[in-house]
Amino acid sequence: IGYWDSLAIETVSLPLMLLGNLSFLTAWYLWRGKLRTVTRNGEVRLMAMLIPLSACIVLIFTCRGLYPLLSKSVRVAVFETVSCLTTTGFQTVSYADWNDTGIFVLIVLMLIGGGTCSTAGGIKQFRIYLLWRLFVWEIKRLLSPDAAVMECPVWEGDRKSFVDDARVRQVCAFIFMYLTTYILGTLVLCICGYTLKESLFEFASALGTVGT
């Protein structure tokens, strides 16, 4: 992708990466034109927040110091963050001269990964979204009276489901095992002589099947 340095190619690639990131169920609703169902999906909302936020951080703290033209900086920031979050693995530039801030953002995005029941890898956006919702619900519970009844609903497709303790344990256990594997894999690469920065990045890419 980077060889061509083409805005047209990148413009075509971006929506394809985003579509590949969607779960098959969400993609089906999008195909059917049920935009309300798509927009209230937790994964879609998380993605809509993560991509602009991550792209802005990469643009301000990394790309502006590397690429003289603002248009080039914006293109790189948007394309690379979308590619990492969707675990597509396309690159338009080399990361050799990127600073730690930009690399850190890309690592976090690769760990989060794409949508549940999609071809993307990573922890999956629904688990991260659910973890965030659980945090918000817990704060509300602490601020509510003891007798208050708290419900934990999330939208899955066109139906609202309520999160029980068993599902919370499953999500937390998966994330714990994923991050434990990530830490151990990073340690192995460090033992093999790679730097910590290289180990963190490359094993996040390998574990999340980024680019495969």
Side-chain angles (χ1 to χ4, degrees), residues 21-136:
N21 170 81
L22 297 177
S23 71
F24 293 125
L25 182 60
T26 305
W28 170 250
Y29 284 120
L30 181 63
W31 176 262
R32 295 286 300 276
K34 296 184 177 182
L35 297 181
R36 177 178 172 81
T37 301
V38 173
T39 54
R40 66 187 176 191
N41 181 280
E43 292 181 329
V44 174
R45 292 186 175 187
L46 179 66
M47 182 175 62
M49 180 196 71
L50 281 177
I51 291 176
L53 177 62
S54 302
C56 286
I57 294 174
V58 171
L59 172 65
I60 295 171
F61 295 103
T62 302
C63 293
R64 288 296 291 136
L66 293 175
Y67 312 107
L69 296 178
L70 178 60
S71 58
K72 177 66 174 180
S73 298
V74 172
R75 283 170 54 189
V76 171
V78 172
F79 191 90
E80 303 306 319
T81 51
V82 171
S83 179
C84 284
L85 182 64
T86 60
T87 70
T88 308
F90 290 157
Q91 288 180 239
T92 57
V93 294
S94 170
Y95 300 143
D97 50 356
W98 277 41
N99 58 25
D100 293 342
T101 302
I103 295 297
F104 175 77
V105 171
L106 297 188
I107 289 173
V108 171
L109 293 177
M110 287 191 291
L111 289 175
I112 293 173
T116 306
C117 299
S118 71
T119 57
I123 293 173
K124 299 291 190 179
Q125 293 166 11
F126 182 78
R127 293 188 178 98
I128 301 300
Y129 171 75
L130 185 57
L131 207 62
W132 166 251
R133 293 288 292 174
L134 290 171
F135 173 76
V136 173

Side-chain angles (χ1 to χ4, degrees), residues 88-207:
T88 308
F90 290 157
Q91 288 180 239
T92 57
V93 294
S94 170
Y95 300 143
D97 50 356
W98 277 41
N99 58 25
D100 293 342
T101 302
I103 295 297
F104 175 77
V105 171
L106 297 188
I107 289 173
V108 171
L109 293 177
M110 287 191 291
L111 289 175
I112 293 173
T116 306
C117 299
S118 71
T119 57
I123 293 173
K124 299 291 190 179
Q125 293 166 11
F126 182 78
R127 293 188 178 98
I128 301 300
Y129 171 75
L130 185 57
L131 207 62
W132 166 251
R133 293 288 292 174
L134 290 171
F135 173 76
V136 173
W137 289 325
E138 194 60 33
I139 296 298
K140 288 182 178 179
R141 182 175 291 138
L142 292 173
L143 299 177
S144 301
D146 293 337
V149 178
M150 301 292 295
E151 293 183 335
C152 303
V154 291
W155 284 96
E156 296 184 271
D158 58 351
R159 65 184 179 86
K160 182 186 291 187
S161 61
F162 293 89
V163 181
D164 55 17
D165 291 341
R167 191 167 191 185
V168 173
R169 289 194 298 270
Q170 290 174 354
V171 169
C172 292
F174 181 89
I175 294 176
F176 176 79
M177 288 188 293
Y178 193 97
L179 294 179
T180 300
T181 304
Y182 175 61
I183 293 172
L184 293 175
T186 300
L187 179 60
V188 170
L189 291 181
C190 289
I191 293 173
C192 291
Y194 296 96
T195 65
L196 179 60
K197 181 178 177 179
E198 292 172 335
S199 302
L200 288 169
F201 185 89
E202 295 302 335
F203 199 74
S205 175
L207 189 60

